[in-house]
Amino acid sequence: MSKKKIIIEPDPILRQKSIYLEKVDDEIRCLLDDMLETMYSAPGIGLAAVQIGILKRLVVIDVSKEKDKKNPLLLINPEIISKSKSTSIHEEGCLSLPGYFAEIERPAECYVKYIGYNGKKKEIKASGLLSTCIQHEIDHLDGVLFIDYLSKLKRDMILKKLVKQKKELNKIVL
Ligand code: NI
């Protein structure tokens, strides 16, 4: 396992659609392991492959509250089959938008089909934080970020600040 660099918005790759995987092999499993390590060390509760620059439909999630009890969920080709009409609001952040949070309203429950680490078809009914997290991560696979749900004014303000932060960061690195 190795930790990967997380891509920060604005970056055009974060706006691209990720591709479906045809098969699950050791290369994919290795990638999922790397994603998990990257997410835990960030730390974060969810990460999509595009955030480490790989346009494949892979997601890792761990919403367990106790730090010493890991409960990773690895999703290959996740797809939302149905969503509840009822909604819930969670404060969301994103490893690609460090330091920014906003309350986002999403369907409270969702039913998701995916392929698991062992290559087998699986389904999960998600509610609460897990439902929000899965929807947030699947959005990443379609080039959507949580700030897209905000008003243009708020979104532009965050983007402007991120551009400035990136410039400062580059100065230090160079
Ligand atoms: Ni995110």
Side-chain angles (χ1 to χ4, degrees):
M1 285 210 270
S2 61
K3 206 177 105 181
K4 305 286 180 197
K5 192 174 167 253
I6 295 173
I7 293 170
I8 306 296
E9 170 80 349
D11 190 305
I13 197 168
L14 292 173
R15 296 311 191 165
Q16 288 187 44
K17 264 183 182 270
S18 296
I19 57 155
Y20 282 90
L21 285 125
E22 304 265 320
K23 63 174 168 60
V24 181
D25 53 21
D26 284 345
E27 196 188 320
I28 296 303
R29 277 187 277 269
C30 185
L31 199 54
L32 285 164
D33 292 340
D34 287 348
M35 286 169 64
L36 211 53
E37 190 180 331
T38 306
M39 180 189 79
Y40 283 133
S41 72
I45 60 168
L47 186 80
V50 59
Q51 292 179 274
I52 56 163
I54 292 158
L55 287 165
K56 288 177 177 162
R57 298 185 87 85
L58 298 169
V59 163
V60 296
I61 288 173
D62 192 340
V63 293
S64 60
K65 291 203 174 78
E66 291 159 72
K67 273 183 187 159
D68 46 349
K69 277 189 194 159
K70 285 182 180 167
N71 187 20
L73 181 64
L74 307 165
L75 309 166
I76 300 160
N77 296 343
E79 256 182 273
I80 294 173
I81 309 167
S82 64
K83 297 175 190 177
S84 65
K85 283 209 178 84
S86 62
T87 58
S88 61
I89 297 172
H90 279 103
E91 185 167 66
E92 294 186 29
C94 180
L95 293 174
S96 293
L97 296 135
Y100 295 92
F101 300 90
E103 287 189 335
I104 308 290
E105 188 175 11
R106 297 183 187 267
E109 291 173 357
C110 63
Y111 209 79
V112 179
K113 68 168 184 179
Y114 64 99
I115 296 168
Y117 195 78
N118 56 6
K120 289 200 178 121
K121 284 183 187 171
K122 290 187 170 190
E123 286 180 9
I124 189 173
K125 188 188 175 195
S127 59
L129 180 59
L130 181 61
S131 173
T132 284
C133 193
I134 287 181
Q135 292 174 63
H136 175 120
E137 298 312 328
I138 292 178
D139 272 353
H140 272 301
L141 305 180
D142 294 318
V144 174
L145 299 172
F146 81 81
I147 51 167
D148 299 351
Y149 296 98
L150 304 175
S151 68
K152 192 180 181 300
L153 190 76
K154 276 189 191 165
R155 187 168 61 241
D156 288 348
M157 204 176 72
I158 292 174
L159 284 171
K160 221 170 118 182
K161 286 181 186 165
L162 280 164
V163 169
K164 211 174 147 191
Q165 276 175 22
K166 263 189 146 175
K167 273 186 195 155
E168 292 297 317
L169 212 64
N170 285 342
K171 265 187 216 163
I172 295 161
V173 173
L174 294 172

PDB file of all heavy atoms in Angstrom, residues 12 17 22 34 36 38-39 42-43 54 57 62 82 84 107 110 113 121 127 130-131 134 139-140 159 165 171:
ATOM      1  N   PRO A  12      -8.889  20.414 -13.913  1.00  0.00           N
ATOM      2  CA  PRO A  12      -9.854  19.892 -14.890  1.00  0.00           C
ATOM      3  C   PRO A  12     -10.169  18.408 -14.734  1.00  0.00           C
ATOM      4  O   PRO A  12     -11.278  17.980 -15.069  1.00  0.00           O
ATOM      5  CB  PRO A  12      -9.202  20.181 -16.247  1.00  0.00           C
ATOM      6  CG  PRO A  12      -7.847  20.703 -15.977  1.00  0.00           C
ATOM      7  CD  PRO A  12      -7.766  21.108 -14.555  1.00  0.00           C
ATOM      8  N   LYS A  17     -15.578  12.557 -16.323  1.00  0.00           N
ATOM      9  CA  LYS A  17     -16.329  11.373 -15.926  1.00  0.00           C
ATOM     10  C   LYS A  17     -15.384  10.174 -15.835  1.00  0.00           C
ATOM     11  O   LYS A  17     -14.538   9.994 -16.717  1.00  0.00           O
ATOM     12  CB  LYS A  17     -17.406  11.072 -16.972  1.00  0.00           C
ATOM     13  CG  LYS A  17     -18.757  11.641 -16.615  1.00  0.00           C
ATOM     14  CD  LYS A  17     -19.780  11.230 -17.664  1.00  0.00           C
ATOM     15  CE  LYS A  17     -21.134  11.822 -17.381  1.00  0.00           C
ATOM     16  NZ  LYS A  17     -22.006  11.031 -16.549  1.00  0.00           N
ATOM     17  N   GLU A  22     -14.238  -3.172 -16.277  1.00  0.00           N
ATOM     18  CA  GLU A  22     -14.723  -4.410 -16.904  1.00  0.00           C
ATOM     19  C   GLU A  22     -14.494  -5.607 -15.977  1.00  0.00           C
ATOM     20  O   GLU A  22     -15.309  -6.502 -15.897  1.00  0.00           O
ATOM     21  CB  GLU A  22     -13.982  -4.663 -18.219  1.00  0.00           C
ATOM     22  CG  GLU A  22     -14.078  -3.506 -19.209  1.00  0.00           C
ATOM     23  CD  GLU A  22     -15.200  -3.703 -20.201  1.00  0.00           C
ATOM     24  OE1 GLU A  22     -15.378  -4.847 -20.642  1.00  0.00           O
ATOM     25  OE2 GLU A  22     -15.889  -2.719 -20.519  1.00  0.00           O
ATOM     26  N   ASP A  34      -4.466   1.445  -1.938  1.00  0.00           N
ATOM     27  CA  ASP A  34      -3.782   2.748  -1.929  1.00  0.00           C
ATOM     28  C   ASP A  34      -4.755   3.880  -1.596  1.00  0.00           C
ATOM     29  O   ASP A  34      -4.421   4.802  -0.842  1.00  0.00           O
ATOM     30  CB  ASP A  34      -3.143   3.038  -3.296  1.00  0.00           C
ATOM     31  CG  ASP A  34      -1.915   2.193  -3.558  1.00  0.00           C
ATOM     32  OD1 ASP A  34      -1.427   1.560  -2.602  1.00  0.00           O
ATOM     33  OD2 ASP A  34      -1.450   2.175  -4.717  1.00  0.00           O
ATOM     34  N   LEU A  36      -7.501   3.637   0.122  1.00  0.00           N
ATOM     35  CA  LEU A  36      -7.875   3.520   1.534  1.00  0.00           C
ATOM     36  C   LEU A  36      -6.797   4.148   2.424  1.00  0.00           C
ATOM     37  O   LEU A  36      -7.092   4.917   3.330  1.00  0.00           O
ATOM     38  CB  LEU A  36      -8.064   2.037   1.872  1.00  0.00           C
ATOM     39  CG  LEU A  36      -9.072   1.679   2.947  1.00  0.00           C
ATOM     40  CD1 LEU A  36     -10.439   2.283   2.683  1.00  0.00           C
ATOM     41  CD2 LEU A  36      -9.190   0.170   3.072  1.00  0.00           C
ATOM     42  N   THR A  38      -4.616   6.395   1.577  1.00  0.00           N
ATOM     43  CA  THR A  38      -4.614   7.842   1.312  1.00  0.00           C
ATOM     44  C   THR A  38      -5.744   8.513   2.093  1.00  0.00           C
ATOM     45  O   THR A  38      -5.535   9.563   2.714  1.00  0.00           O
ATOM     46  CB  THR A  38      -4.785   8.104  -0.203  1.00  0.00           C
ATOM     47  OG1 THR A  38      -3.777   7.378  -0.906  1.00  0.00           O
ATOM     48  CG2 THR A  38      -4.681   9.584  -0.521  1.00  0.00           C
ATOM     49  N   MET A  39      -6.927   7.885   2.091  1.00  0.00           N
ATOM     50  CA  MET A  39      -8.087   8.447   2.795  1.00  0.00           C
ATOM     51  C   MET A  39      -7.863   8.472   4.307  1.00  0.00           C
ATOM     52  O   MET A  39      -8.093   9.487   4.945  1.00  0.00           O
ATOM     53  CB  MET A  39      -9.338   7.633   2.475  1.00  0.00           C
ATOM     54  CG  MET A  39     -10.590   8.152   3.172  1.00  0.00           C
ATOM     55  SD  MET A  39     -11.980   7.022   2.988  1.00  0.00           S
ATOM     56  CE  MET A  39     -11.583   5.770   4.214  1.00  0.00           C
ATOM     57  N   ALA A  42      -5.339  11.118   5.370  1.00  0.00           N
ATOM     58  CA  ALA A  42      -5.658  12.526   5.077  1.00  0.00           C
ATOM     59  C   ALA A  42      -6.010  13.357   6.330  1.00  0.00           C
ATOM     60  O   ALA A  42      -5.447  14.442   6.499  1.00  0.00           O
ATOM     61  CB  ALA A  42      -6.753  12.609   4.009  1.00  0.00           C
ATOM     62  N   PRO A  43      -6.904  13.014   7.265  1.00  0.00           N
ATOM     63  CA  PRO A  43      -7.839  11.902   7.182  1.00  0.00           C
ATOM     64  C   PRO A  43      -9.164  12.350   6.571  1.00  0.00           C
ATOM     65  O   PRO A  43      -9.536  13.510   6.653  1.00  0.00           O
ATOM     66  CB  PRO A  43      -8.036  11.546   8.661  1.00  0.00           C
ATOM     67  CG  PRO A  43      -7.927  12.852   9.394  1.00  0.00           C
ATOM     68  CD  PRO A  43      -7.018  13.735   8.561  1.00  0.00           C
ATOM     69  N   ILE A  54      -7.005   9.122 -11.074  1.00  0.00           N
ATOM     70  CA  ILE A  54      -7.331   7.923 -11.854  1.00  0.00           C
ATOM     71  C   ILE A  54      -8.823   7.915 -12.188  1.00  0.00           C
ATOM     72  O   ILE A  54      -9.671   7.853 -11.286  1.00  0.00           O
ATOM     73  CB  ILE A  54      -6.895   6.648 -11.095  1.00  0.00           C
ATOM     74  CG1 ILE A  54      -5.365   6.637 -11.055  1.00  0.00           C
ATOM     75  CG2 ILE A  54      -7.430   5.380 -11.764  1.00  0.00           C
ATOM     76  CD1 ILE A  54      -4.774   5.812  -9.970  1.00  0.00           C
ATOM     77  N   ARG A  57     -14.103   4.096 -11.963  1.00  0.00           N
ATOM     78  CA  ARG A  57     -15.207   4.207 -11.010  1.00  0.00           C
ATOM     79  C   ARG A  57     -14.943   3.376  -9.754  1.00  0.00           C
ATOM     80  O   ARG A  57     -15.465   2.265  -9.589  1.00  0.00           O
ATOM     81  CB  ARG A  57     -16.544   3.842 -11.681  1.00  0.00           C
ATOM     82  CG  ARG A  57     -16.870   4.797 -12.833  1.00  0.00           C
ATOM     83  CD  ARG A  57     -18.220   4.563 -13.432  1.00  0.00           C
ATOM     84  NE  ARG A  57     -19.286   5.280 -12.764  1.00  0.00           N
ATOM     85  CZ  ARG A  57     -19.631   6.546 -13.014  1.00  0.00           C
ATOM     86  NH1 ARG A  57     -18.985   7.263 -13.907  1.00  0.00           N
ATOM     87  NH2 ARG A  57     -20.619   7.102 -12.361  1.00  0.00           N
ATOM     88  N   ASP A  62     -15.251   5.138   4.769  1.00  0.00           N
ATOM     89  CA  ASP A  62     -15.314   4.597   6.125  1.00  0.00           C
ATOM     90  C   ASP A  62     -15.935   5.658   7.028  1.00  0.00           C
ATOM     91  O   ASP A  62     -15.279   6.648   7.348  1.00  0.00           O
ATOM     92  CB  ASP A  62     -13.924   4.188   6.642  1.00  0.00           C
ATOM     93  CG  ASP A  62     -14.027   3.362   7.923  1.00  0.00           C
ATOM     94  OD1 ASP A  62     -15.087   3.436   8.593  1.00  0.00           O
ATOM     95  OD2 ASP A  62     -13.070   2.637   8.251  1.00  0.00           O
ATOM     96  N   SER A  82     -32.034   3.513  -6.403  1.00  0.00           N
ATOM     97  CA  SER A  82     -33.176   4.350  -6.008  1.00  0.00           C
ATOM     98  C   SER A  82     -32.794   5.249  -4.842  1.00  0.00           C
ATOM     99  O   SER A  82     -31.862   4.954  -4.084  1.00  0.00           O
ATOM    100  CB  SER A  82     -34.367   3.478  -5.647  1.00  0.00           C
ATOM    101  OG  SER A  82     -34.065   2.700  -4.520  1.00  0.00           O
ATOM    102  N   SER A  84     -34.538   7.951  -1.716  1.00  0.00           N
ATOM    103  CA  SER A  84     -35.766   8.283  -0.991  1.00  0.00           C
ATOM    104  C   SER A  84     -36.220   9.688  -1.369  1.00  0.00           C
ATOM    105  O   SER A  84     -35.415  10.517  -1.790  1.00  0.00           O
ATOM    106  CB  SER A  84     -35.516   8.216   0.513  1.00  0.00           C
ATOM    107  OG  SER A  84     -34.582   9.211   0.897  1.00  0.00           O
ATOM    108  N   PRO A 107     -31.033  13.234  -0.848  1.00  0.00           N
ATOM    109  CA  PRO A 107     -31.950  12.184  -0.414  1.00  0.00           C
ATOM    110  C   PRO A 107     -31.410  11.492   0.847  1.00  0.00           C
ATOM    111  O   PRO A 107     -30.214  11.172   0.918  1.00  0.00           O
ATOM    112  CB  PRO A 107     -31.977  11.230  -1.606  1.00  0.00           C
ATOM    113  CG  PRO A 107     -31.691  12.111  -2.774  1.00  0.00           C
ATOM    114  CD  PRO A 107     -30.708  13.131  -2.273  1.00  0.00           C
ATOM    115  N   CYS A 110     -30.500   5.919   0.188  1.00  0.00           N
ATOM    116  CA  CYS A 110     -30.300   5.487  -1.197  1.00  0.00           C
ATOM    117  C   CYS A 110     -29.950   4.003  -1.229  1.00  0.00           C
ATOM    118  O   CYS A 110     -29.424   3.439  -0.259  1.00  0.00           O
ATOM    119  CB  CYS A 110     -29.244   6.325  -1.909  1.00  0.00           C
ATOM    120  SG  CYS A 110     -27.602   6.227  -1.225  1.00  0.00           S
ATOM    121  N   LYS A 113     -26.110  -0.366  -5.932  1.00  0.00           N
ATOM    122  CA  LYS A 113     -25.495  -1.636  -6.342  1.00  0.00           C
ATOM    123  C   LYS A 113     -24.048  -1.362  -6.730  1.00  0.00           C
ATOM    124  O   LYS A 113     -23.719  -0.272  -7.232  1.00  0.00           O
ATOM    125  CB  LYS A 113     -26.294  -2.300  -7.467  1.00  0.00           C
ATOM    126  CG  LYS A 113     -26.278  -1.598  -8.797  1.00  0.00           C
ATOM    127  CD  LYS A 113     -26.861  -2.509  -9.876  1.00  0.00           C
ATOM    128  CE  LYS A 113     -26.740  -1.818 -11.236  1.00  0.00           C
ATOM    129  NZ  LYS A 113     -27.252  -2.613 -12.341  1.00  0.00           N
ATOM    130  N   LYS A 121     -21.032  -9.141  -7.162  1.00  0.00           N
ATOM    131  CA  LYS A 121     -22.074  -8.107  -7.156  1.00  0.00           C
ATOM    132  C   LYS A 121     -22.649  -7.962  -5.762  1.00  0.00           C
ATOM    133  O   LYS A 121     -22.909  -8.962  -5.087  1.00  0.00           O
ATOM    134  CB  LYS A 121     -23.195  -8.481  -8.122  1.00  0.00           C
ATOM    135  CG  LYS A 121     -22.834  -8.256  -9.570  1.00  0.00           C
ATOM    136  CD  LYS A 121     -24.027  -8.585 -10.452  1.00  0.00           C
ATOM    137  CE  LYS A 121     -23.637  -8.526 -11.919  1.00  0.00           C
ATOM    138  NZ  LYS A 121     -24.708  -9.039 -12.782  1.00  0.00           N
ATOM    139  N   SER A 127     -28.281   4.889   4.752  1.00  0.00           N
ATOM    140  CA  SER A 127     -29.009   6.020   5.331  1.00  0.00           C
ATOM    141  C   SER A 127     -28.032   6.845   6.155  1.00  0.00           C
ATOM    142  O   SER A 127     -26.884   6.458   6.343  1.00  0.00           O
ATOM    143  CB  SER A 127     -30.168   5.514   6.187  1.00  0.00           C
ATOM    144  OG  SER A 127     -29.660   4.689   7.209  1.00  0.00           O
ATOM    145  N   LEU A 130     -23.809   7.745   5.874  1.00  0.00           N
ATOM    146  CA  LEU A 130     -23.341   6.859   4.796  1.00  0.00           C
ATOM    147  C   LEU A 130     -24.036   7.184   3.472  1.00  0.00           C
ATOM    148  O   LEU A 130     -23.400   7.189   2.411  1.00  0.00           O
ATOM    149  CB  LEU A 130     -23.564   5.389   5.176  1.00  0.00           C
ATOM    150  CG  LEU A 130     -23.099   4.360   4.144  1.00  0.00           C
ATOM    151  CD1 LEU A 130     -21.594   4.468   3.892  1.00  0.00           C
ATOM    152  CD2 LEU A 130     -23.454   2.942   4.570  1.00  0.00           C
ATOM    153  N   SER A 131     -25.329   7.491   3.532  1.00  0.00           N
ATOM    154  CA  SER A 131     -26.077   7.839   2.325  1.00  0.00           C
ATOM    155  C   SER A 131     -25.496   9.104   1.682  1.00  0.00           C
ATOM    156  O   SER A 131     -25.248   9.147   0.471  1.00  0.00           O
ATOM    157  CB  SER A 131     -27.556   8.055   2.685  1.00  0.00           C
ATOM    158  OG  SER A 131     -28.256   8.547   1.574  1.00  0.00           O
ATOM    159  N   ILE A 134     -21.925   8.265   0.217  1.00  0.00           N
ATOM    160  CA  ILE A 134     -21.970   7.505  -1.041  1.00  0.00           C
ATOM    161  C   ILE A 134     -22.375   8.424  -2.195  1.00  0.00           C
ATOM    162  O   ILE A 134     -21.763   8.399  -3.265  1.00  0.00           O
ATOM    163  CB  ILE A 134     -22.936   6.297  -0.926  1.00  0.00           C
ATOM    164  CG1 ILE A 134     -22.310   5.207  -0.043  1.00  0.00           C
ATOM    165  CG2 ILE A 134     -23.263   5.725  -2.308  1.00  0.00           C
ATOM    166  CD1 ILE A 134     -23.173   3.950   0.129  1.00  0.00           C
ATOM    167  N   ASP A 139     -20.932  11.257  -7.052  1.00  0.00           N
ATOM    168  CA  ASP A 139     -20.863  12.538  -7.777  1.00  0.00           C
ATOM    169  C   ASP A 139     -19.458  12.753  -8.349  1.00  0.00           C
ATOM    170  O   ASP A 139     -19.302  13.190  -9.484  1.00  0.00           O
ATOM    171  CB  ASP A 139     -21.187  13.708  -6.832  1.00  0.00           C
ATOM    172  CG  ASP A 139     -22.680  14.010  -6.763  1.00  0.00           C
ATOM    173  OD1 ASP A 139     -23.451  13.415  -7.543  1.00  0.00           O
ATOM    174  OD2 ASP A 139     -23.060  14.862  -5.939  1.00  0.00           O
ATOM    175  N   HIS A 140     -18.429  12.443  -7.542  1.00  0.00           N
ATOM    176  CA  HIS A 140     -17.031  12.597  -8.000  1.00  0.00           C
ATOM    177  C   HIS A 140     -16.799  11.821  -9.298  1.00  0.00           C
ATOM    178  O   HIS A 140     -16.096  12.287 -10.192  1.00  0.00           O
ATOM    179  CB  HIS A 140     -16.047  12.072  -6.958  1.00  0.00           C
ATOM    180  CG  HIS A 140     -15.640  13.083  -5.930  1.00  0.00           C
ATOM    181  ND1 HIS A 140     -15.026  14.276  -6.240  1.00  0.00           N
ATOM    182  CD2 HIS A 140     -15.747  13.067  -4.577  1.00  0.00           C
ATOM    183  CE1 HIS A 140     -14.774  14.949  -5.118  1.00  0.00           C
ATOM    184  NE2 HIS A 140     -15.199  14.240  -4.095  1.00  0.00           N
ATOM    185  N   LEU A 159     -13.949  28.988  -5.015  1.00  0.00           N
ATOM    186  CA  LEU A 159     -12.979  28.700  -6.079  1.00  0.00           C
ATOM    187  C   LEU A 159     -11.879  29.751  -6.120  1.00  0.00           C
ATOM    188  O   LEU A 159     -10.704  29.427  -6.285  1.00  0.00           O
ATOM    189  CB  LEU A 159     -13.683  28.612  -7.442  1.00  0.00           C
ATOM    190  CG  LEU A 159     -14.467  27.315  -7.680  1.00  0.00           C
ATOM    191  CD1 LEU A 159     -15.296  27.400  -8.948  1.00  0.00           C
ATOM    192  CD2 LEU A 159     -13.522  26.115  -7.751  1.00  0.00           C
ATOM    193  N   GLN A 165      -4.936  29.918  -2.725  1.00  0.00           N
ATOM    194  CA  GLN A 165      -4.226  28.963  -1.860  1.00  0.00           C
ATOM    195  C   GLN A 165      -3.230  28.127  -2.663  1.00  0.00           C
ATOM    196  O   GLN A 165      -2.115  27.886  -2.230  1.00  0.00           O
ATOM    197  CB  GLN A 165      -5.228  27.997  -1.214  1.00  0.00           C
ATOM    198  CG  GLN A 165      -5.883  28.532   0.044  1.00  0.00           C
ATOM    199  CD  GLN A 165      -6.948  27.579   0.571  1.00  0.00           C
ATOM    200  OE1 GLN A 165      -6.937  26.394   0.272  1.00  0.00           O
ATOM    201  NE2 GLN A 165      -7.879  28.097   1.347  1.00  0.00           N
ATOM    202  N   LYS A 171       4.305  28.436  -4.546  1.00  0.00           N
ATOM    203  CA  LYS A 171       5.430  29.323  -4.211  1.00  0.00           C
ATOM    204  C   LYS A 171       6.351  28.631  -3.204  1.00  0.00           C
ATOM    205  O   LYS A 171       7.555  28.645  -3.342  1.00  0.00           O
ATOM    206  CB  LYS A 171       4.896  30.622  -3.597  1.00  0.00           C
ATOM    207  CG  LYS A 171       4.726  31.747  -4.591  1.00  0.00           C
ATOM    208  CD  LYS A 171       4.363  33.000  -3.819  1.00  0.00           C
ATOM    209  CE  LYS A 171       3.391  33.829  -4.619  1.00  0.00           C
ATOM    210  NZ  LYS A 171       2.707  34.810  -3.781  1.00  0.00           N
TER     211      LYS A 171
END
